[in-house]
Amino acid sequence: MVRVGVIGGGQLARMMIPPAVNLGIDIRVLAEADGMAAALAATAVGDYRDLDTVLAFAEDVDVITFDHEHVPQEILHRLVERGVPVHPGPDALLYAQDKLLMRQKLSDLGLPVPIWARVTTEDELQAFLDENGGRAVLKTPRGGYDGKGVRVVSAGHEASDWFAAVAENGATDGLLVEELVEFRRELAQLAARRPSGELVFWPVVESVQRDGVCAEVIAPAPASAGRIADVAAGIANDVASGLGVTGVFAVELFETTDDRLLVNELAMRPHNSGHWTQDGSTTSQFEQHLRAVLDLPLGATGCRDPHTVMVNILGGPTEGSLADRYAEAMATHPTVKIHNYGKDPRPGRKVGHINAGGDDLDDVVYQARAAAAFFQD
């Protein structure tokens, strides 16, 4: 039986378990702590930043992949040196780990990105603001997600605390500043590439963000057929080939008010914008990721329904568990699919999601939102 090792015990690893079982794959998880979302497949618990822990975990698997992108580069390279297949590899993951490197690489590849710069002082930040409309988005190069490590600034001194923290940590790479893009909506292009080169794309989707966190996804994105779909897929193709990505990955995009598509972020793993595929696509992103990292032929990516909507359950109930709300939610919305991450409710935390599909987009949106509301107080 083939053995896939997943570093990280979060909900993405958890959602790889059902397709692994269906395919007869022995999935093993290195979880950061006991009781995490992927505890069902956690064969080891330890620090993914510890070389010995990761090497010991890798001894018993045929390929290594990830629930997140935070494993240090030196550990990734040691795995490769030992002959362990790692997908995506360290040379690709580097650009998901560091936003400055990612912006530089995408620029070098000629891909469309917001106007950006590396800034190390308040004066440099102020100069960028003066040249780009007086407001900008400032990001920490590493570690930010779901709106963390991101702020909108209109003066150089508004980032004094971040510059002080960078100096205190001895970092020399500075901060990433980008133009404040005027965009009509946010899109995401999900794709998968296997080591031998096969590349497939799902339909481009629209994502709705609230407080920096993905709240909803509409698949396919309304009014995206034709040019938008072609451009988004072309960008993802160039990202895959230019960065050498393997596995499932997502390219988050801005559709600007002047009808351009700009790359916002990259994720080199299954992604929140692809959760709709579990119930709305011929092949879910989680099955596809397993196929890709094992270099198996990739599955079809068509839609099962004309419209699929995913709504995240953020925070969860203030008392009790999600399961306590099942009966009423299922009785009221029998066509939706409920996905529970097995995580304790906490304000703002992603604890699950709802998928709904059908012919009428307004009704599908209503069903997904109304069902999710049963689990949020």
Side-chain angles (χ1 to χ4, degrees), residues 96-173:
Q97 294 174 335
D98 190 307
K99 292 181 174 65
L100 278 166
L101 293 177
M102 180 264 290
R103 279 287 178 257
Q104 185 62 62
K105 182 66 172 180
L106 295 180
S107 298
D108 292 344
L109 292 171
L111 289 169
V113 297
I115 299 169
W116 67 278
R118 180 175 73 92
V119 291
T120 58
T121 66
E122 294 178 28
D123 289 343
E124 290 177 354
L125 175 56
Q126 187 62 55
F128 183 91
L129 290 165
D130 294 342
E131 294 172 4
N132 293 280
R135 298 182 74 210
V137 178
L138 192 66
K139 299 179 180 180
T140 55
R142 292 176 171 268
Y145 67 97
D146 285 347
K148 299 177 178 67
V150 178
R151 65 172 61 163
V152 177
V153 295
S154 54
H157 66 80
E158 292 177 2
S160 59
D161 55 334
W162 277 12
F163 285 120
V166 168
E168 184 177 339
N169 293 333
T172 59
D173 52 357

Side-chain angles (χ1 to χ4, degrees), residues 273-287:
S273 67
H275 290 354
W276 70 274
T277 64
Q278 289 173 294
D279 304 296
S281 176
T282 304
T283 310
S284 80
Q285 65 167 340
F286 300 102
E287 176 184 335

Side-chain angles (χ1 to χ4, degrees), residues 7-8 28 41 47 59 67 70 74 83 91 97 99 117 158 168 179 192 219 257 317-318 325-326 359 363:
I7 297 179
R28 304 183 181 191
D47 188 350
E59 286 181 358
D67 170 86
H70 306 310
E74 56 269 27
D91 292 341
Q97 294 174 335
K99 292 181 174 65
E158 292 177 2
E168 184 177 339
E179 65 172 313
T257 54
T318 55
R325 312 287 179 96
Y326 280 171
D359 297 330
D363 181 64

Side-chain angles (χ1 to χ4, degrees), residues 165-330:
V166 168
E168 184 177 339
N169 293 333
T172 59
D173 52 357
L175 301 171
L176 171 65
V177 62
E178 300 175 347
E179 65 172 313
L180 189 62
V181 175
E182 293 186 14
F183 62 90
R184 184 178 295 118
R185 57 180 175 171
E186 294 186 65
L187 304 173
Q189 176 64 69
L190 193 72
R193 179 174 179 265
R194 55 192 284 214
S196 55
E198 183 186 7
L199 179 65
V200 297
F201 309 95
W202 283 269
V204 64
V205 301
E206 179 177 345
S207 62
V208 179
Q209 311 289 317
R210 296 197 182 101
D211 298 323
V213 179
C214 179
E216 300 179 4
V217 171
I218 302 171
S224 63
R227 186 190 69 86
I228 290 175
D230 291 344
V231 172
I235 290 172
N237 178 77
D238 291 345
V239 167
S241 59
L243 276 61
V245 185
T246 48
V248 165
F249 65 99
V251 183
E252 298 179 69
L253 301 158
F254 292 129
E255 181 186 358
T256 67
T257 54
D258 58 356
D259 296 321
R260 294 175 296 148
L261 291 186
L262 302 179
V263 179
N264 178 27
E265 301 279 359
L266 300 178
M268 294 186 193
R269 50 173 169 74
H271 188 252
N272 203 167
S273 67
H275 290 354
W276 70 274
T277 64
Q278 289 173 294
D279 304 296
S281 176
T282 304
T283 310
S284 80
Q285 65 167 340
F286 300 102
E287 176 184 335
Q288 198 82 287
H289 188 68
L290 294 172
R291 290 188 184 212
V293 301
L294 292 169
D295 205 14
L296 293 170
L298 302 179
T301 54
C303 296
R304 294 186 179 277
D305 293 298
H307 307 284
T308 301
V309 172
M310 186 282 304
V311 174
N312 273 326
I313 301 171
L314 299 173
T318 55
E319 293 184 6
S321 67
L322 268 65
D324 295 335
R325 312 287 179 96
Y326 280 171
E328 191 173 4
M330 290 174 174

Side-chain angles (χ1 to χ4, degrees), residues 359-370:
D359 297 330
D360 182 86
L361 179 56
D362 289 341
D363 181 64
V364 174
V365 170
Y366 165 74
Q367 293 292 339
R369 289 178 180 173

